[in-house]
Amino acid sequence: MADNGSVEEFLATAVDAAKKAGEVDLVTETDKACEDLVFNHLKQHYPSHKFIGEETTAANGASELTDEPTWIVDPLDGTTNFVHGFPFVCVSIGLTIGKVPTVGVVYNPIMDELFTGILGKGAFLNGSPIRVSSQTELVKSLLATEAGTKRDKSTLDASTNRINILLFKVRSLRMTGSCALNLCGIACGRLDLFYELGYGGPWDVAAGVLIVKEAGGLVYDPFGKDFDITVPQVAASNPSLKDAFLEALQH
Amino acid sequence: MADNGSVEEFLATAVDAAKKAGEIIRKGFYQTKHVEHKGQVDLVTETDKACEDLVFNHLKQHYPSHKFIGEETTAANGASELTDEPTWIVDPLDGTTNFVHGFPFVCVSIGLTIGKVPTVGVVYNPIMDELFTGILGKGAFLNGSPIRVSSQTELVKSLLATEAGTKRDKSTLDASTNRINILLFKVRSLRMTGSCALNLCGIACGRLDLFYELGYGGPWDVAAGVLIVKEAGGLVYDPFGKDFDITVPQVAASNPSLKDAFLEALQH
């Protein structure tokens, strides 16, 4: 059928869509407009594929993730940054096949950084291969997490308590406001540790988790289970740091 | 005398020095670094030292009678007192942890005080190619275009920046995360990017609405940024309400509308 493409074709189409969304006048366009643009572009090429996007989910309710090829899209990750002009924003486009992340594109149009990956074929930043860091010691590691959007006392208290405990064990902490870009930061070795709880949905991670794995990293649930793309909690690091990181997160 | 220049000349010379140091930083950014520890998590590299030498030599050639205060020479020789003499206050590489990890928030920070007043400021991020400049009374600029602080008036819609710092004793860390906890109930969100000078520039160009940091390394982290914030229409103050003192390592910055609410939130 016309839309059984190769994974390389899927990637190229997704990159086109991401770049078009990146060119959109971000001062006047909304998340919804970028999502329409990306979905229309992908639907033209692959009409039988499924689509899960942050804005359509907000409007219509959650779609179930099936084995069908499914594009999982955050048209603008880092919306707070976008509103404030802080340059960590991106389009995130992931493709799952059989529920497995297979293609990933994360594009920051402000810093012009295009992260890509295909299952089994490596991860790249602007076409150059990237690799997770080789850091083995927690105390020399750079940790990223986010403040999140929940402002109830029990969530915030748990969040800052966890940060307090971790600060005794790591080199330093970064909070940049984009989950997808944090995953890409792990993939290209700028960050050594990342975790986030309670982000919006699978669209925040669908591309990034593939890129991390293709860069030699691991993606896991912060509380030790296997990572589940439908549950909004994620941790990532190189393989050497995983055990120490999970132990530090367990407190 | 040969080195009584105009403030515009002082700025141009500082920009040259910053760009040359930026080249060194850019080249070293993607390579393996040899890292020394000044503390458990406070780092220094050969690049810090090479950039400081380069910047000081460049400035000394033009202005041999001016004074110099730099992070690395202070570490080696002890603190110099800040006098009324024209004094260049330099952090050759602010964001050393970021540099070591390849995280793109690094900069050269060059400030000039005259009569102890910040008069010229240059902050250059060579990875993102962003040059922030300011001259007292003559405005603040990013890559030549004028910049202005945000017009945000509400704390709850404000983007706050601070840093984890380098101290790892329990009382400092507990106070730090308690403060962050209290502030998170009151602001839109929190950013930690690892460069004090770039945080000040973020306030100046409106990307950030609120910034405070306690216990950073020294006046070199802020000498340029505070001038740029003020020239962009912002305020710089002590986080506990007093006047800002460049020799005391604590700073807060915001647009004028947010100052009172911010100070109140910091007082808890």
Side-chain angles (χ1 to χ4, degrees):
Chain A
M1 298 193 66
D3 55 342
N4 276 353
S6 67
V7 282
E8 284 84 359
E9 281 167 12
F10 294 155
L11 177 73
T13 308
V15 167
D16 276 351
K19 288 202 162 177
K20 281 184 180 162
E23 278 166 21
V24 158
D25 182 1
L26 293 183
V27 174
T28 59
E29 293 289 354
T30 64
D31 298 44
K32 182 74 177 71
C34 287
E35 186 159 306
D36 287 347
L37 186 156
V38 170
F39 277 177
N40 289 338
H41 186 92
L42 296 171
K43 272 180 205 161
Q44 277 173 11
H45 287 80
Y46 312 117
S48 75
H49 288 189
K50 301 286 177 273
F51 301 88
I52 295 178
E54 177 169 20
E55 305 314 319
T56 38
T57 297
N60 305 332
S63 306
E64 190 197 336
L65 179 65
T66 68
D67 285 345
E68 294 291 313
T70 305
W71 295 95
I72 306 181
V73 175
D74 191 339
L76 177 51
D77 183 48
T79 301
T80 298
N81 287 345
F82 168 58
V83 167
H84 289 265
F86 191 80
F88 272 56
V89 297
C90 66
V91 188
S92 176
I93 300 174
L95 173 70
T96 60
I97 300 177
K99 301 197 189 80
V100 174
T102 303
V103 170
V105 173
V106 175
Y107 178 49
N108 178 341
I110 311 306
M111 293 177 60
D112 197 26
E113 292 196 324
L114 176 70
F115 296 90
T116 55
I118 297 176
L119 185 62
K121 297 176 188 247
F124 300 84
L125 166 54
N126 291 345
S128 297
I130 54 176
R131 201 93 195 129
V132 289
S133 79
S134 50
Q135 188 52 253
T136 56
E137 300 179 55
L138 221 59
V139 76
K140 295 181 180 174
S141 294
L142 191 56
L143 165 70
T145 191
E146 297 298 337
T149 50
K150 296 183 174 61
R151 291 291 181 272
D152 62 282
K153 189 167 180 7
S154 88
T155 304
L156 260 189
D157 285 354
S159 176
T160 48
N161 282 345
R162 191 175 293 111
I163 285 168
N164 175 279
I165 289 166
L166 288 164
L167 275 174
F168 286 101
K169 302 183 179 189
V170 302
R171 177 170 271 168
S172 196
L173 175 62
R174 297 291 173 266
M175 291 184 163
T176 63
S178 164
C179 182
L181 287 175
N182 283 328
L183 286 166
C184 293
I186 293 284
C188 69
R190 291 171 185 170
L191 300 168
D192 301 298
L193 308 165
F194 169 59
Y195 76 95
E196 192 171 346
L197 311 177
Y199 47 85
W203 40 79
D204 290 316
V205 297
V209 299
L210 182 275
I211 293 168
V212 167
K213 288 193 251 195
E214 285 302 313
L218 298 179
V219 174
Y220 38 97
D221 182 278
F223 304 116
K225 296 170 292 192
D226 286 342
F227 174 67
D228 179 345
I229 202 174
T230 66
V231 179
Q233 47 198 46
V234 69
S237 69
N238 69 37
S240 309
L241 289 169
K242 176 183 176 183
D243 290 347
F245 190 28
L246 280 176
E247 195 186 325
L249 284 167
Q250 257 28 276
H251 277 269
Chain B
M1 303 192 65
D3 55 342
N4 277 351
S6 67
V7 282
E8 285 84 0
E9 281 167 16
F10 294 155
L11 178 73
T13 308
V15 167
D16 276 349
K19 290 204 160 175
K20 285 182 175 159
E23 249 324 286
I24 295 180
I25 292 171
R26 206 185 350 254
K27 283 185 184 140
F29 188 71
Y30 299 103
Q31 295 168 2
T32 309
K33 287 93 178 182
H34 297 285
V35 174
E36 297 165 33
H37 285 71
K38 295 195 272 194
Q40 179 190 335
V41 293
D42 193 7
L43 310 179
V44 66
T45 65
E46 306 144 324
T47 302
D48 295 61
K49 297 172 189 171
C51 286
E52 187 158 309
D53 286 346
L54 184 153
V55 169
F56 276 178
N57 289 337
H58 186 93
L59 296 171
K60 271 180 205 159
Q61 275 172 13
H62 287 81
Y63 310 117
S65 75
H66 287 189
K67 302 287 177 273
F68 300 89
I69 295 178
E71 177 169 18
E72 304 316 322
T73 37
T74 297
N77 304 332
S80 308
E81 192 198 334
L82 179 64
T83 68
D84 285 344
E85 294 291 313
T87 305
W88 294 96
I89 306 182
V90 175
D91 190 342
L93 177 50
D94 184 49
T96 300
T97 298
N98 287 345
F99 175 69
V100 167
H101 288 265
F103 190 79
F105 272 55
V106 297
C107 67
V108 187
S109 178
I110 300 174
L112 173 69
T113 60
I114 300 178
K116 300 197 190 77
V117 174
T119 303
V120 169
V122 174
V123 175
Y124 179 49
N125 178 340
I127 309 305
M128 293 178 59
D129 196 25
E130 293 197 323
L131 176 71
F132 296 90
T133 54
I135 296 176
L136 186 63
K138 296 175 191 249
F141 300 84
L142 166 54
N143 291 345
S145 297
I147 53 175
R148 202 90 195 131
V149 289
S150 79
S151 50
Q152 188 52 253
T153 56
E154 300 179 55
L155 220 59
V156 76
K157 294 181 181 175
S158 294
L159 192 55
L160 166 69
T162 190
E163 297 299 338
T166 51
K167 297 184 176 58
R168 291 290 180 271
D169 62 282
K170 189 168 179 10
S171 89
T172 304
L173 261 189
D174 286 352
S176 177
T177 48
N178 282 344
R179 190 175 295 109
I180 285 168
N181 174 279
I182 288 165
L183 288 165
L184 275 174
F185 287 102
K186 302 184 177 188
V187 302
R188 177 171 268 166
S189 196
L190 176 61
R191 297 292 174 264
M192 292 183 161
T193 63
S195 164
C196 183
L198 286 175
N199 283 329
L200 287 165
C201 292
I203 293 285
C205 70
R207 291 172 186 169
L208 300 168
D209 302 299
L210 307 165
F211 169 59
Y212 75 96
E213 192 171 345
L214 311 176
Y216 46 85
W220 41 80
D221 290 316
V222 298
V226 299
L227 183 275
I228 294 167
V229 167
K230 288 194 251 194
E231 285 303 314
L235 298 178
V236 175
Y237 38 99
D238 181 278
F240 304 117
K242 296 170 291 191
D243 287 341
F244 174 66
D245 179 345
I246 201 173
T247 65
V248 179
Q250 47 198 44
V251 69
S254 69
N255 68 38
S257 309
L258 289 169
K259 177 183 175 184
D260 289 345
F262 190 27
L263 279 176
E264 195 185 325
L266 284 168
Q267 258 28 277
H268 277 267

